[in-house]
């Protein structure tokens, strides 16, 4: 899995920092938005041929219109990763069940279910489907 180990290592550090902040400031809310997990999931789907909406990993030229995961060499996400990130943020911050959210992503790929799974899968996201 691309970058999974690095992501997990980075995420563990963030979770440790959140634990420390929660101890120091118990009246404040600290949580994590696992946005990076979204890109890992999209990359995994792309590599396994299960991402029909994306034709290339990286945009070949600045002017190219082909749907891609990364729009440039530094790794900024294309349109699909941006929409997935928005859904993850919405799920974590506002506790929206994005699977039922009245928004058309414009993709065949079920970004809403992916976002829900990611937000619900991180105990530091404080997500609940109440």
């Amino acid at each position: 899995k691309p970058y999974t180990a690095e992501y997990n290592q980075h995420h563990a550090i963030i979770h440790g920092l959140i634990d420390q902040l929660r101890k120091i400031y118990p009246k404040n809310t600290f949580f994590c938005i696992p946005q990076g997990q979204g890109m890992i999931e999209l990359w995994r789907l792309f590599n396994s041929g299960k991402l029909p909406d994306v034709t290339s990993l990286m945009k070949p030229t600045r002017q190219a219109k082909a749907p891609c995961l990364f729009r440039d060499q530094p790794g900024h996400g294309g349109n699909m990763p941006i929409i997935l990130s928005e859904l993850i943020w919405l799920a974590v911050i506002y506790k929206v069940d994005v699977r039922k959210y009245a928004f058309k992503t414009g993709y065949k790929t079920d970004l809403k279910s992916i976002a829900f799974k990611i937000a619900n899968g991180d105990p530091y996201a404080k997500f609940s489907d109440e």
Side-chain angles (χ1 to χ4, degrees):
K1 293 182 179 180
Y3 297 109
T4 302
E6 292 87 350
Y7 173 80
N8 290 338
Q9 183 180 21
H10 174 76
H11 217 55
I13 292 168
I14 297 297
H15 286 179
L17 178 60
I18 290 170
D19 287 338
Q20 290 175 12
L21 290 169
R22 286 176 176 172
K23 282 182 185 176
I24 297 168
Y25 305 101
K27 293 182 182 181
N28 294 319
T29 301
F30 295 94
F31 59 94
C32 178
I33 300 174
Q35 180 177 337
Q37 186 63 41
M39 184 55 87
I40 289 173
E41 180 61 16
L42 291 177
W43 195 336
R44 186 187 67 75
L45 290 170
F46 178 80
N47 282 340
S48 63
K50 297 178 182 175
L51 198 61
D53 307 290
V54 174
T55 56
S56 66
L57 187 61
M58 190 175 316
K59 197 173 187 180
T61 67
R62 181 175 269 214
Q63 293 77 24
K65 299 288 185 198
C68 57
L69 283 184
F70 300 102
R71 64 179 182 214
D72 58 23
Q73 191 66 34
H76 294 102
N79 193 53
M80 179 184 275
I82 289 170
I83 291 173
L84 179 58
S85 295
E86 291 169 351
L87 291 168
I88 293 168
W89 280 64
L90 187 62
V92 172
I93 295 172
Y94 297 103
K95 297 181 177 26
V96 171
D97 183 341
V98 293
R99 297 171 301 179
K100 300 173 187 174
Y101 186 54
F103 168 73
K104 295 187 186 303
T105 66
Y107 293 104
K108 294 176 191 172
T109 304
D110 188 358
L111 297 179
K112 292 178 181 181
S113 292
I114 294 170
F116 178 86
K117 181 181 174 186
I118 290 169
N120 198 33
D122 187 335
Y124 286 77
K126 290 200 162 245
F127 180 82
S128 68
D129 54 359
E130 299 170 7

